Amino acid sequence: LVYNHADFRLMSSRVINTLDEFKEQDLFLRGILPLTGYNSSVVEYERAERFAGESKYTVKDLFSFAAKSVISFSSLPLHIIPFIGFAELIAGLVFFLARSFHSGLVDRFPNILIASLFLTISGVNTVLLGVAAIYISKIYDETKARPRYIVEKKIGMKEE
């Protein structure tokens, strides 16, 4: 991605035809265009201060834009979920074991047992949820129907 640039751009008909092959409804252009593989150039200029009104882009819009960029090109957050669950599971077991060997166990045993069981069961649920999330991310990738490859030029064939 080019730092601090806008979405305004000039594109050839070849690039536009290639973008037509991406069947996604909510296309993240800043990420998709580099995937096409076509040459691009940047025109740098000094941007003047806004002279009329204020930007209509809110903080909510910025967060939405950031989420869209991550969701469109990465399933890493979904792959992290099982590790969080596993850490939670281990924390519950360690908490139980550490408190079990601590003095004064008899008075607090029910509280320790409930807390560690909650962490352990919650950890198991999070691990299972993470496994389901990984499968869902694979389904999501398939439904995007992105082209496997892009043919820049056909030689000796009729154009369709």
Side-chain angles (χ1 to χ4, degrees):
L1 297 178
V2 178
Y3 173 74
N4 202 19
H5 80 90
D7 281 329
F8 180 77
R9 59 187 80 227
L10 177 65
M11 293 185 280
S12 71
S13 59
R14 275 192 339 200
V15 174
I16 293 171
N17 291 338
T18 299
L19 287 177
D20 253 0
E21 294 179 30
F22 289 83
K23 302 302 180 198
E24 298 169 54
Q25 297 298 312
D26 198 13
L27 205 60
F28 183 65
L29 277 178
R30 291 186 190 186
I32 292 286
L33 281 171
L35 286 181
T36 63
Y38 292 110
N39 293 332
S40 65
S41 297
V42 175
V43 177
E44 293 185 17
Y45 65 96
E46 289 290 325
R47 187 172 20 184
E49 289 289 321
R50 181 183 291 269
F51 63 90
E54 292 184 14
S55 173
K56 303 292 188 268
Y57 226 63
T58 64
V59 172
K60 180 183 171 191
D61 293 333
L62 290 172
F63 278 113
S64 174
F65 184 73
K68 183 178 173 183
S69 68
V70 170
I71 290 169
S72 292
F73 288 95
S74 176
S75 59
L76 181 64
L78 295 176
H79 285 80
I80 292 174
I81 293 172
F83 294 105
I84 292 171
F86 189 69
E88 192 176 10
L89 174 68
I90 296 298
L93 294 174
V94 167
F95 177 74
F96 177 74
L97 292 174
R99 297 300 287 174
S100 294
F101 294 113
H102 191 267
S103 62
L105 174 67
V106 177
D107 296 338
R108 293 185 299 249
F109 185 74
N111 294 338
I112 294 169
L113 183 63
I114 290 170
S116 64
L117 274 176
F118 176 76
L119 277 173
T120 306
I121 291 170
S122 177
V124 169
N125 284 337
T126 307
V127 168
L128 295 175
L129 177 69
V131 170
I134 291 170
Y135 279 102
I136 290 169
S137 76
K138 298 294 183 194
I139 294 168
Y140 176 63
D141 286 341
E142 289 296 322
T143 61
K144 287 186 213 176
R146 289 184 179 167
R148 292 186 191 274
Y149 52 86
I150 296 168
V151 177
E152 183 176 359
K153 185 193 298 186
K154 296 178 182 178
I155 300 174
M157 299 178 76
K158 287 186 178 181
E159 288 292 322
E160 294 178 19

